[in-house]
């Protein structure tokens, strides 16, 4: 594995453009004796790792003791009723209201898209401690951990750390960065207890959400402040996430104003690289925020919310050098910091409603070894929803976004210009008509956008939903979506590797620098998508949802070789061998995604998913890109999981999830199985404990290999964690 991974990183030299898209610190090792086996203490000493005075095992014991104490002190409340989270019926699930497909509330069963909803109960019972872990429940979504603080998450192919075809929103605020059209997943560390649901669309959503909603949309929707009144304290300890603490309090001001404020801290243990060395990829983050919801009149509602955060992270980085040995590897540290504030107002009329949303988002990246970036996004969005009759509903809207970016370069990465100001204007219209006594619904719409890179873009779609019976529906859609260029694709220079003098194929008397360059000629990537789906509630205890798709891509990113040139003043120091961003690749992908839900007995629920993906992507005939065809090797062809949720006596809940992920041939990563388990206990209504383990079938496996930035890949190990949540008024 070590040899094959290293070889793969060498062959990816010119392929970046495809994938870019606390208590008692400092206890001595001798103090660990009696807490860990001697061989583990010696291993920690050899690796030079620091160890907390309270080891993960002791933390679990401390958590259990604290839980027992609280249980005794509030034992008088044990007669309260405890909700049964498996009691929700399949009919309730199909009637679940979603907003991401049509930008208005509609039943999940009526949505003309491949949509999946992760509920708060799903998150709580799964034992997930982050948004990426929760997203593993979505059929067709590719979720892979790169190292302790980096993830590769994609939909229907093209997965990578810098996936650029998946739009992610938190309460309507886009969190993708214009720097590379992707997401910093370790920044999106929201309070999972405040998440109402996560709506995931596999397939294009550009007609409503705009550019970059190409292969999917993830919409994270948090609870209203009026649903989180009172206080909450949560603490988590484990063998991977050393500690995580959060606290929150919500209240009311008068009858019409509710609020909440929170703070959260997390600290993650460094993991091991594939060679067994310390990857120096630990990280810790602190964040806080607030939300206020008001109803000043029966027709009006107002939400104001905001967050501040700071994340320190580590990695083991390799950068090229003009002197022998022509590269250096070292522990590298960086910081993400920033904040956001959002306001959302809605007003209801007799037969229509309007909404106005404005937000400002600031992100700062400080990585002195590679790159610094300061980005500010101002966004305003207006929407009008009109009921034109009993069988017709029209939605239209306008939007404006301003992006201000400034950056600092290094000898490895630079971006020109160093200061950018971008403006984007948009409008959309969508009309839904019901026919044949509402048994057929037809939706027509389009997004119209103007950006500073490619000018005017049009993204239309047509969608159909046919109600076959009370328990069956079929839907189909044809959509166009575009992925507009990012700042890096226009002005980037990345020195990917240095080839020693007189080395084939260049045979240069000077060191040869293989450099990735952006281009002002780079165009938008295009998708024409065809989708068909079927939903059925076969019985009161069994339902199934299947989606199939064929995607046709044109103008996909390639890396075309340019003319070599010498650089260095006053004497040339090296020869630059450039590979320039271009649009000379395309092809088709197709697949199917199945999800089934079976209530075996009232206290036992089984859900399962299977996904198939085939990618046929090739370079155009006039392309000189030297990398291999078919980037499908970074996305699994087959994926499946089975999850069992069982309610036990004594207020216990048991959840088991068995997952399978197919091999990633271009990354030399074999297939793997993973078993996750979580046991929850609610001794009283406002106190909850859980103990969970992940990757229980194997002690370690690799899930993804970094691209673009050459960091050491790490192994995903068997881990355990314990959590306590206490709510009070």
């Amino acid at each position: 594995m070590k040899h094959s991974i290293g070889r793969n990183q060498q062959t990816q030299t010119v392929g970046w453009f495809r994938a870019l898209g606390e208590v008692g610190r400092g206890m001595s090792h001798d103090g660990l004796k009696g807490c860990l086996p001697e061989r583990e203490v010696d291993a920690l000493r050899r690796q030079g790792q620091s160890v907390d005075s309270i080891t993960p095992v002791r933390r679990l014991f401390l958590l259990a003791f604290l839980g027992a104490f609280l249980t005794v002190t509030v034992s008088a409340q044990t007669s309260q009723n405890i909700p049964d989270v498996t009691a929700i019926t399949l009919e309730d699930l199909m009637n679940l209201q979603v907003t991401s497909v049509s930008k208005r509330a509609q039943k999940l069963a009526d949505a003309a898209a491949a949509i999946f909803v992760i509920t708060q109960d799903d998150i709580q019972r799964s034992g997930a401690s982050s948004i990426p872990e929760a997203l593993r429940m979505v059929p067709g979504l590719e979720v892979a951990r790169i190292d302790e603080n980096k993830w590769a998450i994609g939909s229907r192919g093209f997965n990578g750390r810098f996936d650029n075809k998946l739009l992610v929103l938190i309460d309507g605020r886009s969190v993708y960065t214009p720097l590379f059209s992707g997401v910093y997943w370790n920044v999106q560390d929201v309070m999972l207890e405040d998440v109402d649901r996560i709506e995931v669309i596999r397939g294009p959503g550009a007609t409503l959400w705009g550019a970059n909603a190409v292969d999917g949309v993830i919409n994270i929707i948090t609870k209203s402040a009026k649903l989180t009144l009172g206080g909450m304290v949560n603490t988590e300890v484990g063998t991977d996430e050393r500690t995580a603490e959060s606290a929150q309090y919500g209240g009311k001001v008068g009858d019409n104003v509710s609020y909440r404020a929170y703070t959260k801290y997390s600290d993650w243990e460094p993991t091991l690289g594939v060679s067994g060395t310390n990857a120096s990829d630990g990280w810790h983050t602190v964040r806080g925020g607030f939300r206020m919801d008001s109803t000043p009149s029966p027709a009006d509602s107002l939400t104001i919310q905001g967050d501040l955060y700071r994340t320190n992270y580590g990695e083991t980085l390799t950068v090229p050098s003009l002197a022998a040995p022509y590269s250096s590897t070292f522990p590298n540290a960086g910081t993400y910091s920033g904040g956001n504030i959002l306001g959302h107002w809605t007003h209801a009329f007799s037969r229509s409603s309007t909404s106005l949303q404005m937000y400002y988002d600031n992100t700062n990246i400080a990585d002195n070894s590679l790159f610094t970036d300061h980005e500010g996004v101002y966004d305003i969005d207006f929407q009008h929803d009109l009921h034109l009759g009993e069988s017709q509903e029209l939605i239209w809207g306008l939007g404006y976004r301003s992006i201000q970016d400034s950056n600092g370069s290094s000898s490895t990465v630079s971006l020109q210009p160093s200061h950018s100001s971008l403006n984007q204007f948009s409008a959309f219209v969508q009309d839904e008509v019901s026919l044949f006594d509402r048994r057929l619904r037809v939706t027509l719409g389009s997004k119209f956008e103007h950006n500073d890179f490619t000018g005017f873009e049009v993204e239309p779609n047509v969608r159909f939903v046919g109600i076959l019976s009370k328990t069956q529906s079929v839907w189909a859609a044809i959509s166009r979506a575009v992925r507009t260029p990012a700042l890096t694709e226009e002005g980037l220079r990345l020195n990917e590797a240095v080839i020693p003098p007189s080395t084939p194929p260049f045979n240069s008397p000077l060191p040869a620098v293989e450099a990735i360059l952006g281009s002002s000629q780079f165009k938008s990537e295009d998708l024409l998508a065809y989708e068909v789906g079927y939903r059925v509630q076969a019985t009161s205890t069994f339902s199934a949802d299947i989606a199939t798709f064929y995607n046709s891509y044109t103008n996909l990113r390639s890396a075309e070789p340019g003319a070599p040139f010498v650089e260095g003043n006053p004497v040339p120091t090296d020869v630059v061998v450039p590979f320039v961003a271009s649009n000379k690749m395309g092809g088709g992908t197709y697949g199917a995604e199945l999800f089934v839900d079976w209530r075996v007995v009232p206290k036992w629920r089984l859900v399962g998913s299977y996904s198939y993906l085939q990618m046929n992507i090739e370079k155009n005939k006039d392309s000189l890109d030297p990398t291999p065809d078919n980037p499908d090797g970074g996305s699994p062809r087959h994926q499946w999981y089975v999850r069992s949720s069982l309610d036990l006596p004594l207020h216990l809940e048991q959840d088991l999830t068995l997952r399978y992920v197919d091999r990633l041939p271009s990354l030399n990563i074999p297939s793997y199985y993973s078993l996750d388990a979580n046991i929850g206990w609610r001794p009283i209504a406002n106190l909850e404990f859980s103990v969970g383990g992940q990757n229980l079938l194997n002690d370690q496996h690799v899930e993804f290999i970094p691209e673009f930035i050459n960091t050491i890949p790490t192994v995903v190990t068997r881990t355990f964690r314990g959590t306590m949540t206490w709510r009070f008024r």
Side-chain angles (χ1 to χ4, degrees):
M1 171 65 75
K2 176 182 176 182
H3 175 73
S4 63
I5 289 175
R7 182 174 65 244
N8 178 70
Q9 289 178 333
Q10 293 174 4
T11 61
Q12 287 184 334
T13 299
V14 296
W16 166 72
F17 277 105
R18 287 211 187 147
L20 184 59
E22 284 178 67
V23 179
R25 298 281 185 179
M27 183 180 187
S28 67
H29 289 96
D30 291 335
L32 291 174
K33 293 179 178 179
C35 302
L36 293 174
E38 185 63 31
R39 62 180 182 276
E40 295 185 24
V41 177
D42 291 339
L44 291 172
R45 184 186 294 112
R46 288 194 302 271
Q47 296 169 11
Q49 298 185 47
S50 62
V51 183
D52 291 350
S53 61
I54 300 180
T55 66
V57 174
R58 282 187 171 179
R59 291 196 198 106
L60 291 174
F61 280 122
L62 180 61
L63 185 66
F65 173 79
L66 180 59
F69 173 76
L70 287 173
T71 302
V72 172
T73 59
V74 294
S75 59
Q77 304 177 55
T78 55
S79 60
Q80 300 181 33
N81 292 327
I82 296 176
D84 177 5
V85 297
T86 61
I88 185 171
T89 66
L90 292 183
E91 183 178 359
D92 292 333
L93 289 176
M94 298 303 288
N95 290 331
L96 191 67
Q97 298 289 301
V98 296
T99 59
S100 300
V101 178
S102 300
K103 270 198 172 182
R104 62 177 179 82
Q106 64 179 150
K107 293 192 300 182
L108 186 150
D110 295 340
I115 185 168
F116 185 85
V117 178
I118 305 172
T119 66
Q120 172 58 220
D121 284 341
D122 291 329
I123 296 172
Q124 176 259 315
R125 296 197 60 147
S126 70
S129 61
S130 66
I131 293 294
E133 289 183 359
L135 291 175
R136 292 189 188 274
M137 291 183 271
V138 181
L141 210 61
E142 301 141 21
V143 181
R145 205 186 81 181
I146 300 173
D147 65 19
E148 194 67 87
N149 55 73
K150 301 177 187 66
W151 293 81
I153 300 178
S155 173
R156 296 180 173 177
F158 303 98
N159 196 22
R161 175 184 174 187
F162 300 100
D163 184 287
N164 52 30
K165 298 176 179 61
L166 182 64
L167 183 65
V168 182
L169 306 139
I170 300 178
D171 289 325
R173 174 176 58 90
S174 173
V175 297
Y176 94 97
T177 170
L179 191 63
F180 59 87
S181 297
V183 177
Y184 296 113
W185 284 104
N186 57 349
V187 172
Q188 318 312 324
D189 189 30
V190 301
M191 287 262 297
L192 290 182
E193 293 82 7
D194 287 339
V195 173
D196 180 69
R197 64 190 186 277
I198 304 174
E199 299 178 4
V200 181
I201 299 174
R202 293 106 59 204
T207 296
L208 295 179
W209 301 107
N212 303 307
V214 177
D215 287 337
V217 178
I218 297 175
N219 194 3
I220 302 166
I221 301 170
T222 63
K223 299 175 182 177
S224 169
K226 66 182 180 181
L227 299 178
T228 56
L229 301 180
M232 184 197 71
V233 176
N234 180 278
T235 183
E236 180 176 317
V237 295
T239 57
D240 189 26
E241 185 178 19
R242 288 188 286 202
T243 183
E245 288 84 27
S246 59
Q248 176 176 285
Y249 187 79
K252 298 185 69 175
V253 178
D255 295 330
N256 300 321
V257 178
S258 302
Y259 67 88
R260 69 166 174 260
Y262 79 92
T263 182
K264 181 179 180 181
Y265 172 79
S266 300
D267 186 16
W268 295 77
E269 186 88 17
T271 53
L272 299 178
V274 293
S275 62
T277 59
N278 188 342
S280 302
D281 60 340
W283 64 294
H284 62 269
T285 180
V286 60
R287 65 189 299 123
F290 76 97
R291 173 166 175 158
M292 183 197 73
D293 292 287
S294 172
T295 53
S297 73
D300 294 278
S301 63
L302 175 67
T303 296
I304 300 175
Q305 62 190 83
D307 305 273
L308 290 172
Y309 61 87
R310 182 180 178 86
T311 297
N312 295 317
Y313 69 92
E315 61 193 8
T316 299
L317 177 68
T318 298
V319 297
S321 172
L322 291 176
Y326 302 104
S327 69
S328 59
T329 300
F330 55 92
N332 183 49
T335 301
Y336 296 109
S337 63
N340 60 81
I341 186 165
L342 177 147
H344 187 97
W345 168 74
T346 61
H347 179 79
F349 299 92
S350 59
R351 296 189 63 83
S352 69
S353 63
T354 60
S355 67
L356 179 66
Q357 177 177 280
M358 296 181 290
Y359 69 79
Y360 171 69
D361 198 336
N362 176 264
T363 304
N364 304 289
I365 306 170
D367 185 337
N368 295 325
S369 298
L370 284 178
F371 193 69
T372 61
D373 187 68
H374 306 280
E375 180 185 289
V377 178
Y378 305 83
D379 187 278
I380 182 169
D381 183 84
F382 172 80
Q383 178 178 311
H384 190 193
D385 187 348
L386 299 95
H387 296 270
L388 301 180
E390 293 299 324
S391 59
Q392 186 176 12
E393 184 165 1
L394 179 72
I395 302 177
W396 68 274
L398 301 171
Y400 168 71
R401 178 174 297 172
S402 173
I403 300 168
Q404 309 297 319
D405 185 89
S406 61
N407 59 81
S409 303
S410 70
S411 60
T412 304
V413 181
S414 62
L415 182 63
Q416 297 297 328
S418 58
H419 298 274
S420 300
S421 180
L422 306 175
N423 295 282
Q424 178 180 301
F425 302 88
S426 65
F428 80 91
V429 60
Q430 180 165 283
D431 191 14
E432 180 180 299
V433 179
S434 297
L435 304 170
F436 308 115
D437 196 24
R438 298 181 178 271
R439 298 183 68 85
L440 175 66
R441 282 188 289 273
V442 182
T443 302
L444 291 167
S446 184
K447 187 87 167 184
F448 309 92
E449 292 184 308
H450 185 276
N451 66 81
D452 290 343
F453 292 112
T454 60
F456 190 63
E457 301 281 2
V458 181
E459 298 155 289
N461 78 355
V462 56
R463 296 180 180 272
F464 306 89
V465 176
I467 308 301
L468 305 180
S469 68
K470 291 183 178 180
T471 59
Q472 296 182 81
S473 63
V474 62
W475 62 271
I478 304 174
S479 313
R480 179 181 186 263
V482 301
R483 203 276 298 177
T484 56
L487 286 167
T488 49
E489 283 157 328
E490 183 171 82
L492 176 74
R493 172 170 171 173
L494 169 66
N495 293 335
E496 181 72 11
V498 172
I499 308 301
S502 304
T503 301
F506 306 117
N507 296 310
S508 168
L510 297 172
V513 178
E514 292 186 343
I516 307 297
L517 302 181
S519 170
S520 60
Q521 304 302 311
F522 189 81
K523 300 181 294 186
S524 294
E525 298 180 329
D526 292 301
L527 165 67
L528 187 60
Y530 306 87
E531 301 175 272
V532 176
Y534 172 71
R535 300 185 181 101
V536 59
Q537 185 177 330
T539 69
S540 61
T541 60
F542 184 85
S543 67
D545 187 333
I546 185 169
T548 62
F549 65 92
Y550 176 78
N551 290 345
S552 177
Y553 297 91
T554 55
N555 294 327
L556 289 179
R557 186 174 53 199
S558 62
E560 303 298 323
F565 60 90
V566 296
E567 65 178 357
N569 285 310
V571 179
T573 59
D574 58 275
V575 176
V576 177
V577 182
F579 293 87
V580 183
S582 189
N583 300 88
K584 295 187 177 182
M585 191 158 54
T589 67
Y590 61 89
E593 299 146 353
L594 171 67
F595 178 78
V596 297
D597 190 330
W598 181 26
R599 304 305 172 94
V600 185
V601 294
K603 298 293 185 180
W604 185 22
R605 179 189 181 195
L606 284 176
V607 299
S609 166
Y610 169 74
S611 304
Y612 174 79
L613 172 68
Q614 176 66 48
M615 301 182 69
N616 299 311
I617 305 297
E618 297 179 345
K619 298 186 292 289
N620 299 351
K621 292 182 179 180
D622 62 341
S623 174
L624 299 176
D625 186 337
T627 55
D629 280 330
N630 256 338
D632 65 326
S635 298
R637 180 169 297 181
H638 304 276
Q639 289 189 104
W640 58 260
Y641 77 80
V642 177
R643 180 160 62 99
S644 168
S645 298
L646 181 63
D647 281 0
L648 299 170
L650 303 177
H651 311 308
L652 290 169
E653 302 167 347
Q654 180 196 67
D655 286 76
L656 296 171
T657 302
L658 177 64
R659 293 187 296 117
Y660 170 79
V661 179
D662 204 1
R663 67 190 186 97
L664 307 180
S666 70
L667 304 183
N668 294 307
I669 294 178
S671 62
Y672 63 88
Y673 293 89
S674 178
L675 178 65
D676 301 340
N678 191 71
I679 297 178
W681 178 43
R682 298 182 183 182
I684 55 174
N686 59 353
L687 184 63
E688 182 179 332
F689 300 93
S690 68
V691 177
Q694 294 180 320
N695 307 304
L696 300 179
L697 292 181
N698 46 58
D699 57 353
Q700 63 181 40
H701 65 267
V702 177
E703 293 188 352
F704 213 79
I705 304 299
E707 81 284 355
F708 177 31
I709 302 299
N710 190 8
T711 58
I712 287 182
T714 65
V715 295
V716 178
T717 61
R718 183 183 295 119
T719 59
F720 300 92
R721 65 167 62 103
T723 305
M724 181 194 71
T725 303
W726 177 39
R727 293 177 172 87
F728 58 91
R729 291 279 183 167

